[in-house]
Amino acid sequence: MILLFVVIKTRTERDLQERRYKRIKATLENIILDILFQTDREKRSEQISGLKKLIDNPKTTITRDATREMLNSMALQLDGDSLAVVTQIYRETNLKDLLVKQLHEGDWDTKAAVIEEIGNVQLKELLFEVLKYTDYENELVRNKAQVVVLKLGGLRGLQFLDTLKTQLSEWQQIQLLNQLLKMQYSYFSQTEKWLKSPNDSVVLFGLKVTQNFMQFQDKDHVTKLLDHSNTEIVKKALKTISHLGLKSELDVVKMHYPNYPTELKVEVLKTIGELGDESDQLFLIDCLMSDDYFIVKEASNALIKIGQKNLLYQIKDSFPDYQREIIEHSLDERI
């Protein structure tokens, strides 16, 4: 009986709190919308001062929390002058100072949430506060910080890549690249520094930027990466050379072929298939003598791509059975 009483009492209190929270949010919504639609700057500042008094209630944080929740949600749907008003509300109340305090003193999940909120409401003056967390030990925190500094500072925000010690995951590289694409930049002077970074993940990100933004001025730095010790970087460099259409680099690419493992040799052959011409046919024919299935297969494909399909038909019977069967498999248009 006592347990039932406790359960009922707890549910009743929770219901009362929820109804109170909804009433507060409804009131705040009207206040905030009035502020957003106010065109007179002085009157808007007066309205924000009134909101600040509600937020500063020392007895409870409910109004403050509800205000943050609503502003953060609105910021995701606003831009231009309307978003600037949301930012103004944070600056002219104690909300901005609260965010800074929670950023430095909160646990990791609070830090991550605060960083995202700073980005949403565009508090650009907090760029350097957020930059402090771009190499943070917790991955979620640093991932949020890396995206937000780009939102707040544009290319200036990417300075963290110059000294980054932790690794950028593939997903994080894509997130940063997508953010750059939204900003409609057409040139990145920083890529040279990224392509020389001791952090392999930064190099890979630099190659993604070079490829996606067609950074032809990075040609020499990309070619130097063909000597890199990281196989993934070499593969990405080859794909970047292909994507940029750097036919002039094919001789350098072929020079590296003998020293590469099979995985990279296949990538070289793919690159020749994309950029090569009949002047590369002797190199490719020589590759057909390999005992490795994937090399013979890709060399055959490359010859077909550079317009030497008839030649491949003519020479296939001169190869041993193993290589000939692979060549015929490549020539079979049904496959």
Side-chain angles (χ1 to χ4, degrees):
M1 193 69 181
I2 295 175
L3 178 60
L4 178 61
F5 174 76
V6 171
V7 170
I8 293 173
K9 184 174 182 295
T10 302
R11 286 181 177 176
T12 301
E13 290 175 349
R14 186 178 62 195
D15 290 343
L16 287 171
Q17 289 175 350
E18 288 178 355
R19 284 199 292 270
R20 184 188 176 202
Y21 190 70
K22 287 179 180 178
R23 286 199 302 272
I24 290 173
K25 284 188 69 175
T27 301
L28 286 171
E29 184 176 13
N30 290 328
I31 294 172
I32 292 171
L33 287 175
D34 284 344
I35 295 172
L36 286 174
F37 291 117
Q38 179 57 257
T39 56
D40 186 290
R41 292 185 178 181
E42 288 187 10
K43 289 182 179 179
R44 183 193 300 149
S45 290
E46 290 175 4
Q47 290 173 317
I48 293 174
S49 295
L51 176 61
K52 184 177 184 299
K53 291 178 183 178
L54 294 175
I55 293 173
D56 288 344
N57 186 345
K59 295 181 180 180
T60 178
T61 64
I62 291 178
T63 302
R64 184 190 71 191
D65 296 341
T67 301
R68 281 179 63 183
E69 181 185 334
M70 293 180 67
L71 290 173
N72 196 23
S73 177
M74 287 179 177
L76 295 173
Q77 304 171 53
L78 299 174
D79 57 16
D81 292 341
S82 297
L83 179 57
V85 174
V86 171
T87 309
Q88 181 185 355
I89 293 172
Y90 270 79
R91 288 173 180 152
E92 295 184 13
T93 61
N94 66 349
L95 292 181
K96 187 182 88 169
D97 296 335
L98 176 65
L99 289 182
V100 175
K101 184 174 187 296
Q102 290 183 339
L103 176 62
H104 296 319
E105 297 179 4
D107 52 21
W108 67 266
D109 56 337
T110 299
K111 291 181 190 295
V114 166
I115 287 169
E116 187 170 25
E117 187 174 350
I118 289 171
N120 290 342
V121 301
Q122 286 290 293
L123 286 165
K124 294 185 178 182
E125 64 268 35
L126 297 184
L127 169 64
F128 292 102
E129 295 297 326
V130 179
L131 266 170
K132 297 174 184 177
Y133 295 90
T134 51
D135 213 2
Y136 194 69
E137 58 187 13
N138 182 277
E139 184 177 10
L140 179 62
V141 173
R142 67 174 181 264
N143 284 353
K144 294 279 188 185
Q146 289 165 6
V147 172
V148 167
V149 294
L150 187 50
K151 284 183 178 179
L152 297 179
L155 292 183
R156 186 174 55 148
L158 285 177
Q159 64 183 265
F160 74 88
L161 291 172
D162 298 348
T163 56
L164 188 70
K165 293 181 174 60
T166 52
Q167 295 295 300
L168 293 169
S169 67
E170 179 69 18
W171 174 247
Q172 183 66 358
Q173 291 176 45
I174 293 171
Q175 292 289 93
L176 293 173
L177 185 62
N178 285 340
Q179 195 62 42
L180 284 176
L181 290 168
K182 291 178 184 176
M183 295 180 176
Q184 299 181 338
Y185 287 113
S186 58
Y187 173 77
F188 299 92
S189 60
Q190 301 95 324
T191 45
E192 177 180 347
K193 188 179 294 186
W194 300 340
L195 294 174
K196 294 178 179 178
S197 173
N199 186 323
D200 286 0
S201 66
V202 174
V203 177
L204 286 166
F205 177 70
L207 285 168
K208 285 184 174 69
V209 173
T210 296
Q211 177 176 317
N212 279 271
F213 290 91
M214 302 298 285
Q215 299 258 119
F216 293 102
Q217 71 274 10
D218 293 332
K219 177 184 71 173
D220 292 341
H221 305 296
V222 173
T223 303
K224 287 178 182 178
L225 291 174
L226 296 176
D227 288 315
H228 204 282
S229 59
N230 186 319
T231 299
E232 291 305 311
I233 288 177
V234 178
K235 284 172 66 176
K236 188 61 180 175
L238 286 166
K239 289 177 180 177
T240 302
I241 287 171
S242 179
H243 187 83
L244 295 180
L246 300 178
K247 182 180 175 62
S248 60
E249 303 305 304
L250 274 185
D251 285 341
V252 178
V253 170
K254 288 188 288 188
M255 283 175 55
H256 285 80
Y257 180 87
N259 301 319
Y260 280 164
T262 298
E263 181 181 8
L264 292 180
K265 285 181 177 178
V266 169
E267 289 299 325
V268 167
L269 294 171
K270 288 180 179 178
T271 303
I272 296 172
E274 292 296 328
L275 302 178
D277 56 33
E278 62 181 15
S279 66
D280 299 298
Q281 67 183 30
L282 292 179
F283 178 87
L284 294 173
I285 289 171
D286 187 53
C287 293
L288 291 175
M289 291 302 299
S290 172
D291 292 327
D292 186 280
Y293 170 86
F294 295 103
I295 291 177
V296 178
K297 177 69 173 173
E298 204 54 55
S300 301
N301 291 341
L303 279 164
I304 294 170
K305 285 182 178 179
I306 66 171
Q308 300 303 309
K309 188 173 185 178
N310 289 335
L311 174 64
L312 200 54
Y313 271 116
Q314 294 169 16
I315 65 174
K316 66 182 178 64
D317 290 333
S318 64
F319 287 91
D321 290 346
Y322 177 71
Q323 286 83 357
R324 179 177 52 77
E325 289 176 3
I326 299 172
I327 295 169
E328 289 177 343
H329 187 267
S330 296
L331 288 168
D332 190 342
E333 296 180 355
R334 297 172 301 174
I335 299 173

